[in-house]
Amino acid sequence: MGTRSQKARDAQAGSVCPGCGRPVPTVVTRHKTLGTFVPHWGPGPCDNPDCSRSAVREAKRTG
């Protein structure tokens, strides 16, 4: 196989928005653990304007 764990491969495979169920991009962030930065894959912002968790809707609300 590869050197990545099964959990990392599953996280990169694709994410869905918890609000509308549409696919969203995967975003990689990092956090520091024991002096080393560790990647963390998670769902990105939803671009569906009709979704309650939409990044577009939040931008209009704050801007």
Side-chain angles (χ1 to χ4, degrees):
M1 283 277 176
T3 58
R4 294 188 299 185
S5 70
Q6 180 68 33
K7 186 175 181 180
R9 283 194 304 269
D10 289 344
Q12 287 181 331
S15 301
V16 294
C17 176
C20 65
R22 294 178 78 182
V24 294
T26 302
V27 177
V28 179
T29 58
R30 62 185 190 153
H31 65 274
K32 200 168 191 177
T33 301
L34 298 174
T36 303
F37 285 103
V38 179
H40 174 73
W41 290 271
C46 182
D47 60 355
N48 179 6
D50 296 330
C51 178
S52 63
R53 300 178 62 122
S54 173
V56 175
R57 181 178 278 187
E58 288 296 322
K60 287 181 182 178
R61 195 178 303 165
T62 59

